[in-house]
Amino acid sequence: MTNSTLRRFGIGLLAWAVAFVIFFPIFWMMLTGFKTEADAIADPSLIFPPTLDSYAEVQQRADYFKFALNSVIVSFGSTILALLIAIPSAYSMAFLPTKRTKGTLLWMLSTKMLPPVGVLVPIYLLFRDTGLLDTRTGLTIVYTLMNLPIVVWMLYTFFKDLPKDILEAGRMDGANTLQEVWHLLLPLTLPGIASTGLLSVILSWNEAFWSLNLTSSQAAPLTAYIASFSSPEGLFWAKLSAASTMAIAPILVFGWLTQKQMVRGLTFGAVK
Amino acid sequence: MNKPIASGRKVGGLRPLALQGPAVTLLFLWMIVPLSMTVWFSLQRYNLLMPGMDEFDGLTNYRYLFTDPALWSSMITTLLLVGWVLVITVVGGTLLAVLFQQEFFGRGIARVLVISPFFVMPTASALVWKNLMMHPSNGVLAWLAGVFGMEPINWFSSLPLTSIVIIVAWQWLPFALLILLTAMQSLDEDQVEAARMDGAGPIAVFFFITLPHLKRAISVVIMIEMIFLLTVFAEIFVTTSGGPGLATTNLAYLIYIRALLDYDVGLASAGGVVAIVLANIVAIFLVRMVAKNLED
């Protein structure tokens, strides 16, 4: 072996070791989901009779799908709402910029800096008084507004990357704004819109401050359901693992698919 | 290059107003209504357990808050948590970005595995760590300690804040790595090659070329993480509930205790105002930096 292939081998070995250690808790969780409760708390072992009991029990006893449905409705609902509100706004910022556009964008970013805990009390009281506490509607509203700045920003950066001539050509052919947006802008920027939407779904799906404080039995999404395993009444590790595996699996896949575009959204375009 | 479309300009200032109106209005309400309510409540005597006793109380809540030892202990906890997680994720993330930038077998899959923790919901990752990993008798770490003939550590009772730091750092290390890895892609390979030719070793290349190149991405990571880390909540909620004592009560958790467990709206709001001020000190720098980036 030459020196450089040896070096590459060493680097590969080190990188894979790091990857293994960092991923291990997730791997172990996935594995534990297929154990019996007795095996789950026994000495760590890779060899055990696999069982689906925990998955079945999570569904039967706790009605897992009710929480999953809440998660799906709230995260996709808030994402669709945010996209509907953000697309016109990002369109106008990217294609009809005025001297106020930059200020507006920065102001939107600054609303994201308001720590949720700083406004917990008024939101809680407002929700209590308007009957929004523990409703999917209430949580959807919060998530929509929480993600709106990121969605506008991300769409803005994708729209801005579109060559201006294309929309101009459409206009020459007599397309009005709506046609221009519907037939040109949206199809051309669909990958960008999709990854924006996925990021918004991921952020809402994993959000755990508002979901823990604003929901209880009716509208609780998966983050709150998983939190219920923190009660010290007993060790239900296999069930915790099965429930967590189901709760994170779709989001892991979304995350893997959009990791590259996500950097833009998470850094507000400051790192591309 | 960025000139507006000619026909768009003719329509004038009304169209942007109509198109941006909904987003701007909603965000404005979302910000200003709760914000002014928080400030207003913080000046009131307002406890949900004592209805009808509400009255304007001036700065009493603040006076009480700032003489409360719990506030200072929670501020220190907040700073320790933010500081340690930042050190671990930024140093670790930079080193890992260099490592995962190299060519090796199965790099794509290894990268996917490494960034995965960022996509695990905080309640799940905290509970998996607390039970499966850190449990003093049945956890993987206790088993490992046993293999090496060491006493297992009772993580959450003897090192509570360290435990929280480990969990939160595990979630945010992939974030730092993801951002820095992206930033690495724009590193000029020719420049690295030229430096190598001039006899610079890997360590010199790292300190004189890679690190300066990553400077901006690193500051973005620091600021964004600070904004989120200042209000870590779920991880504490499901593992230690702020204890033992106040050992893991950060500012966010303290406000939660005052508001939803003690029902003291006035005092909790005063705490909220402090949290907002703290976050804004960080935010000013971040917004400035992003603004600079908008120019080019």
Side-chain angles (χ1 to χ4, degrees), chain A residues 16 22 41 92 102 171 177, chain B residues 7 15 20 105 138 295:
Chain A
W16 270 100
I22 291 181
I41 57 168
S92 109
K102 201 183 122 182
R171 194 165 290 150
T177 309
Chain B
S7 56
R15 256 206 327 168
Q20 292 172 29
F105 174 73
N138 308 68
E295 316 265 330

Side-chain angles (χ1 to χ4, degrees), chain B residues 183-228:
Chain B
M184 286 282 279
Q185 252 118 62
S186 59
L187 184 64
D188 189 358
E189 280 303 320
D190 294 344
Q191 205 187 350
V192 175
E193 210 45 53
R196 286 255 166 79
M197 297 289 222
D198 291 344
I203 291 170
V205 168
F206 175 76
F207 278 106
F208 294 108
I209 297 177
T210 312
L211 215 48
H213 174 76
L214 290 180
K215 207 171 80 185
R216 206 171 75 158
I218 289 177
S219 23
V220 170
V221 168
I222 291 177
M223 287 182 289
I224 291 175
E225 281 194 15
M226 275 178 101
I227 287 161
F228 284 96

Side-chain angles (χ1 to χ4, degrees), chain B residues 249-261:
Chain B
T249 298
N250 65 354
L251 191 53
Y253 205 81
L254 183 70
I255 296 170
Y256 160 80
I257 293 175
R258 292 287 177 263
L260 299 190
L261 302 183

